Amino acid sequence: ANLATFFRNQPISFIGLTPEGAIDRYWRFTLFGAYVHDEFRLGPRLTLNGGLRYEYMTMPEEKYGRDSALINLSDPAPTPGPLYQNPTAGNLSPRGGIAWDIGGDGRTSLRGGYGLYFNTNNQQHLIVTVTNPPFTPRVSIMNPTFPNPPFERGIGNSLRPVQWNLENPRVHVWNINVQRALPWETVLMVGYAGSRGKHLLRSSDVNVPTPVTLADGTLFIPAGSPRPNRNFSTIELKSSDGDSWYKALILDVRRRWTGGFMVQSSYTLSSSVDTTQASTFFSDATNGTTTAFPEFVPDYNKGPSDFDARHHWVTNFTWQVPFARGLSGVSKALLDGWHVSGILRVRSGNPLTVFVQNNRSRSLWTPSLGPGIGSDRPSYAPGRDGGNAVVGSPDQWFDPTAFVLQPAGTFGNTGRGDFTGPDLQTVDVSLGKGMALPRLSARGRLELRIEAFNIFNHTNFGPPSLIAFAGTTDNEPPLSTFGRITTTVTSSRQIQIGLRLGF
């Protein structure tokens, strides 16, 4: 919880296997797929295509029958047998597209498409179920001793079931764009792309006390409130109730290779919002959370995706350097054939979520958590919000005075992804020369490359520390480490020389 408890070797909790736990599983399943597709040319300028795909997967069956399910969240014990009901029977996926030569001269085209895609790899998430009773108990122990937790206090009452009536995750994807041929072998594209994810997988502790509503409308959990299903502690349910929304404006201009020069530049203005990261395992989180907080507060889990970046610009080029023009002999041989290539990338920062280390809300919410993620969120100080809470310094990314520890038993009002992290800027360049070696073989060639990554040595910072408060006592100050950045996401300038011989 804090430095003092660290020095006294006092952990907050232990969640894990007992020494005798066996986690090997052997699942068997088969995936079938079939599709039909056709293209319809409605004239010299208009083409349509469409298709239908069907994919069905048999239920994974564990070779030794060591699977179990919590069919109803109120059941006193898991039921040995299938992990969930097969959700893949209705996986019918339509696809469609259009291509239209608008002017009939081949210089302006409109293209668009739509597709519905289903998840076909639900089995990859079954790893989280290998710690379920009765075959492999996973215990939860509060305030354990360190380094050896008292396993006799853990009754194996922590459970990670899959939603029994699971829905198969799916995403609707669409795009439309207009391309126009311009002078100087240049093509301009303006497009719109979007997607809508439904029934996405996510994880949460669903065995949490129900709060009461105070006179002012505040949700409050009294001290000592029990879990609804007292046969278990954490019920870390893997459910299919996640949603996502994505939309983007895309601008792209490219000049085809001609005259020894080629360039492409793309800019994307986008927004990606979800209700956690469509994941069932905490290690997929980077600067936010994959686990859904208790849903008592409307849209408490809805916010920008961890990977959301409002602005993203990428430019690349290749130039055949005209060093040898007007030269001959040895000078021409030395200077001819050199080319310069480069990639420029500029991206705005990703969203950040601020946390409280301990379970300040008394929700008893204790799913698996990734590093730097807490049990609750703090509140804003009066007059503060996400727009004025960021200082932007690597030593102190957040203004600590913008946050207060919420009263015990309540939920903080800071939102998921309310803040923006550091942006990213990189420039990579390379200088190369190729020379034919016909005496070696018909394909003989020697290539020299000098490559520089992050040539301007720009520091691209990683996410800051996101734990604002320990959450152990009322009116405690923010942690001294809150908002401090200690990592980078790209290396410093690196230069390498390579020689390649082909024959």
Side-chain angles (χ1 to χ4, degrees):
N2 51 49
L3 193 60
T5 56
F6 171 76
F7 283 130
R8 290 196 296 265
N9 290 332
Q10 295 177 353
I12 297 172
S13 65
F14 170 87
I15 301 177
L17 301 183
T18 58
E20 64 272 11
I23 60 172
D24 55 320
R25 296 292 187 271
Y26 304 88
W27 286 296
R28 310 285 176 83
F29 54 89
T30 304
L31 174 66
F32 300 93
Y35 69 93
V36 293
H37 176 86
D38 203 356
E39 190 170 280
F40 311 93
R41 193 171 180 85
L42 303 184
R45 296 165 49 192
L46 180 62
T47 300
L48 302 178
N49 63 66
L52 184 66
R53 187 175 185 89
Y54 180 71
E55 291 168 310
Y56 175 82
M57 190 180 78
T58 61
M59 269 297 298
E61 295 184 6
E62 208 279 321
K63 180 179 178 180
Y64 298 108
R66 291 182 290 190
D67 287 334
S68 63
L70 194 67
I71 298 177
N72 301 296
L73 296 180
S74 59
D75 289 349
T79 302
L83 293 165
Y84 52 87
Q85 294 177 310
N86 195 334
T88 64
N91 284 4
L92 285 170
S93 308
R95 317 283 168 86
I98 181 175
W100 178 30
D101 181 359
I102 296 178
D105 57 359
R107 298 186 60 83
T108 306
S109 64
L110 181 144
R111 292 181 174 89
Y114 162 82
L116 172 60
Y117 298 83
F118 284 90
N119 191 30
T120 59
N121 62 347
N122 292 321
Q123 72 281 356
Q124 78 175 30
H125 300 292
L126 301 184
I127 186 67
V128 299
T129 68
V130 302
T131 58
N132 284 344
F135 305 103
T136 310
R138 177 173 178 260
V139 299
S140 177
I141 305 171
M142 299 306 294
N143 302 312
T145 54
F146 179 85
N148 300 309
F151 290 107
E152 67 278 3
R153 280 172 40 197
I155 313 174
N157 58 356
S158 173
L159 189 65
R160 302 168 95 181
V162 178
Q163 177 184 331
W164 176 249
N165 57 341
L166 190 73
E167 294 279 356
N168 209 31
R170 65 206 65 180
V171 59
H172 300 266
V173 180
W174 58 88
N175 73 85
I176 188 168
N177 64 76
V178 176
Q179 295 180 337
R180 173 66 179 176
L182 303 176
W184 303 295
E185 299 295 324
T186 302
V187 176
L188 173 66
M189 187 272 287
V190 180
Y192 172 82
S195 69
R196 174 71 166 94
K198 304 186 71 174
H199 301 296
L200 304 181
L201 297 174
R202 64 179 187 170
S203 176
S204 182
D205 181 1
V206 296
N207 195 25
V208 296
T210 301
V212 297
T213 303
L214 301 180
D216 61 356
T218 301
L219 295 177
F220 176 73
I221 299 179
S225 298
R227 294 180 182 270
N229 190 336
R230 303 190 186 187
N231 298 285
F232 300 100
S233 57
T234 299
I235 299 180
E236 190 174 320
L237 184 69
K238 316 304 170 182
S239 59
S240 56
D241 53 355
D243 291 279
S244 69
W245 300 263
Y246 175 78
K247 56 185 177 181
L249 170 68
I250 304 170
L251 303 176
D252 180 274
V253 59
R254 62 184 67 191
R255 183 181 189 269
R256 300 185 181 95
W257 178 264
T258 180
F261 182 69
M262 181 276 295
V263 65
Q264 177 184 354
S265 186
S266 300
Y267 168 73
T268 303
L269 174 65
S270 65
S271 170
S272 181
V273 175
D274 58 39
T275 58
T276 73
Q277 296 304 122
S279 164
T280 58
F281 207 58
F282 67 86
S283 61
D284 296 327
T286 52
N287 57 359
T289 173
T290 64
T291 47
F293 280 68
E295 292 279 11
F296 305 124
V297 181
D299 290 333
Y300 202 61
N301 292 289
K302 187 176 181 180
S305 307
D306 281 3
F307 51 82
D308 177 63
R310 185 57 51 91
H311 305 281
H312 198 173
W313 176 41
V314 181
T315 296
N316 66 82
F317 69 91
T318 299
W319 180 37
Q320 194 78 38
V321 183
F323 285 143
R325 291 180 182 176
L327 300 179
S328 60
V330 176
S331 298
K332 180 176 179 60
L334 291 174
L335 297 178
D336 198 18
W338 287 92
H339 61 271
V340 179
S341 300
I343 300 176
L344 163 69
R345 182 184 179 192
V346 179
R347 173 182 58 75
S348 54
N350 296 131
L352 302 174
T353 304
V354 172
F355 299 100
V356 176
Q357 181 69 61
N358 278 316
N359 189 217
R360 183 73 174 169
S361 66
R362 301 174 182 155
S363 66
L364 307 180
W365 183 82
T366 53
S368 301
L369 291 176
I373 296 175
S375 296
D376 285 307
R377 300 186 207 138
S379 289
Y380 287 113
R384 308 303 292 270
D385 55 36
N388 57 32
V390 174
V391 177
S393 167
D395 292 326
Q396 191 176 71
W397 192 259
F398 301 105
D399 180 357
T401 64
F403 303 91
V404 295
L405 186 63
Q406 76 275 28
T410 65
F411 298 89
N413 61 16
T414 57
R416 176 173 173 262
D418 267 5
F419 317 98
T420 302
D423 59 12
L424 182 142
Q425 303 174 32
T426 59
V427 178
D428 305 329
V429 297
S430 69
L431 177 64
K433 175 180 172 58
M435 182 173 59
L437 298 176
R439 292 186 179 182
L440 183 63
S441 70
R443 297 182 178 179
R445 186 173 180 82
L446 183 68
E447 295 183 12
L448 171 67
R449 290 183 65 85
I450 305 172
E451 299 172 321
F453 302 96
N454 193 11
I455 190 171
F456 296 115
N457 206 30
H458 181 76
T459 304
N460 292 295
F461 292 106
S465 172
L466 301 173
I467 301 295
F469 298 93
T472 55
T473 58
D474 293 338
N475 302 316
E476 66 182 27
L479 297 175
S480 60
T481 56
F482 175 49
R484 185 178 301 163
I485 296 178
T486 59
T487 62
T488 58
V489 294
T490 58
S491 65
S492 57
R493 181 192 300 117
Q494 294 185 348
I495 300 175
Q496 65 185 26
I497 299 176
L499 195 64
R500 181 176 184 270
L501 179 65
F503 55 90

